[in-house]
Amino acid sequence: MSDLLLLGGVALCALSVLWAVIQLARTEPPRAAAIMLVLGIALMFAGAFAQPDGFQPGDVMRAWQGVIGVTPA
């Protein structure tokens, strides 16, 4: 479960950056991008809370491999 929360948070944060660029190009305030960023960070914190030993930087790739079912080489 913590893998899904971590990946969901990372995806929302990445999408928020793209959405902010789009909104700024349209000369709109990036409110939706800010909300997506806050939700992404909240999901990552929820994943870290569910993981007893926390996350390391390399855990994103490990989580992705775990979700798609690939065993690391």
Side-chain angles (χ1 to χ4, degrees):
M1 182 66 181
S2 63
D3 289 347
L4 293 175
L5 291 171
L6 174 65
L7 291 175
V10 168
L12 270 178
C13 288
L15 287 174
S16 73
V17 172
L18 294 174
W19 196 251
V21 170
I22 291 169
Q23 286 183 319
L24 289 173
R26 293 180 180 176
T27 64
E28 298 174 359
R31 292 183 190 118
I35 291 170
M36 288 173 61
L37 181 66
V38 169
L39 288 175
I41 292 171
L43 281 177
M44 287 191 286
F45 273 115
F49 184 72
Q51 182 82 10
D53 55 348
F55 289 124
Q56 301 296 322
D59 285 343
V60 175
M61 187 55 82
R62 181 198 52 79
W64 177 254
Q65 290 173 345
V67 167
I68 64 172
V70 175
T71 58

